[in-house]
Amino acid sequence: MGILNVTPDSFSDGGQWFGKSEAIQHALAMQDAGADIIDIGGESTRPGAEAVSLQQELDRVIPVIEAIVPSLSVPVSIDTSKPEVMRAAVAAGAGMINDVYALRLDGAVQAAVDLGVPVCLMHMQGEPRVMQDNPVYQDVGGEVRQFLLERAKQCEESGLLKKNIVLDPGFGFGKTLQQNLDLFHSLPELVASGYPVLVGISRKAMIGQLTGREILDRVPGSITAAALAVLQGASIVRVHDVAETQDALNIVKSLRL
Ligand code: 7PM
């Protein structure tokens, strides 16, 4: 899964949004480099971030989805928590929902059921604005797994098809470095639940803490983590650097013991 960001704070030049043509170009480049899904998000979930209004989010993502879908052969996933954005994005051609709130906002489960597309349910403790203020767990792997399986069960009881559910432990979303490491080591137990598991670790603070690198120098660390996540059983890795990660996964596929 290649990340296509249309939030202003995703760029080092600050405030320069992706125009439609740059977005198409970037999406096509990721597809050519081997991405099987293009994930587009217009709502910043950066730790400490303020919420984005519905209209702002629609204005950011819908024109880009309309512009890129006709040029792509792989599905587009919409990174949103708002049911209105889910509906508009799928109407504009998106084929998957990626929700860091795991469909907990009012109306989100019903939207996903109505739309009938695959959904990624992610774990987050707290909300982005405050989630990194002293997150606490007794057993992070067990608690995250229990939360995700409970959400999956509730969604299925509301009519979401089991085959459309993907689970994501939510690295960096209300987790300290040590909790992220414990969570990573517990991936095989989440994989054993039988649901496909998505891992998003690319360029995150965790990689920075482990390598001492600033964001743009976290590529080797991110690729290594993605390869290890796949070795732990992850089905999907959400990454910025698609070509580099694809190379690593090709090597893993051929050389794994
Ligand atoms: C700033 C800080 C901007 C952090 C964006 C982020 C995930 C996700 C994100 C994830 C799923 C990032 C995050 N992370 N969706 N959306 N899983 N399913 O690093 O780990 O991309 S936003």
Side-chain angles (χ1 to χ4, degrees):
M1 173 183 272
I3 302 169
L4 184 65
N5 257 315
V6 293
T7 50
D9 60 6
S10 324
F11 296 94
S12 43
D13 54 348
Q16 185 51 60
W17 296 22
F18 248 179
K20 266 194 234 180
S21 64
E22 289 99 326
I24 297 173
Q25 227 179 351
H26 189 210
L28 279 173
M30 290 195 290
Q31 173 178 275
D32 290 346
D36 297 306
I37 307 169
I38 303 297
D39 188 48
I40 170 170
E43 176 192 49
S44 181
T45 42
R46 174 193 298 281
E50 296 293 338
V52 168
S53 80
L54 171 61
Q55 195 55 52
Q56 225 173 350
E57 203 182 328
L58 289 169
D59 291 345
R60 283 181 193 174
V61 294
I62 301 304
V64 178
I65 295 172
E66 285 171 346
I68 64 175
V69 164
S71 334
L72 290 173
S73 54
V74 298
V76 168
S77 145
I78 174 69
D79 186 342
T80 191
S81 301
K82 297 186 180 76
E84 299 89 346
V85 178
M86 294 171 188
R87 291 182 189 276
V90 173
M96 179 174 177
I97 296 164
N98 172 25
D99 184 4
V100 300
Y101 275 95
L103 302 179
R104 284 179 291 162
L105 266 53
D106 276 349
V109 174
Q110 194 55 51
V113 170
D114 294 346
L115 296 169
V117 297
V119 183
C120 177
L121 303 175
M122 198 196 79
H123 175 274
M124 166 166 57
Q125 185 179 98
E127 53 173 298
R129 205 169 47 80
V130 294
M131 67 189 175
Q132 291 306 106
D133 304 348
N134 189 33
V136 175
Y137 302 85
Q138 301 301 319
D139 162 20
V140 65
E143 287 167 49
V144 166
R145 188 168 68 256
Q146 192 183 5
F147 168 86
L148 291 172
L149 294 179
E150 181 61 30
R151 284 304 300 149
K153 181 167 163 251
Q154 286 173 2
C155 291
E156 286 164 32
E157 284 168 3
S158 302
L160 202 70
L161 299 179
K162 185 167 194 145
K163 71 166 176 66
N164 277 343
I165 297 177
V166 174
L167 302 182
D168 180 345
F171 287 99
F173 285 83
K175 285 116 186 158
T176 63
L177 173 60
Q178 187 58 52
Q179 289 160 353
N180 282 315
L181 299 178
D182 292 344
L183 191 56
F184 196 92
H185 295 129
S186 77
L187 278 173
E189 291 139 63
L190 184 60
V191 168
S193 70
Y195 291 94
V197 170
L198 187 157
V199 166
I201 249 180
S202 185
R203 300 186 184 176
K204 282 188 178 172
M206 171 183 176
I207 302 296
Q209 288 159 330
L210 294 173
T211 59
R213 304 283 184 196
E214 292 306 322
I215 196 145
L216 294 176
D217 297 319
R218 294 177 190 167
V219 181
S222 298
I223 296 164
T224 307
L228 286 166
V230 169
L231 282 170
Q232 297 267 61
S235 296
I236 304 172
V237 281
R238 181 179 176 278
V239 306
H240 298 87
D241 306 289
V242 174
E244 293 85 346
T245 307
Q246 186 60 254
D247 280 359
L249 296 182
N250 288 340
I251 299 299
V252 165
K253 202 171 156 190
S254 297
L255 298 189
R256 79 195 300 174
L257 299 176

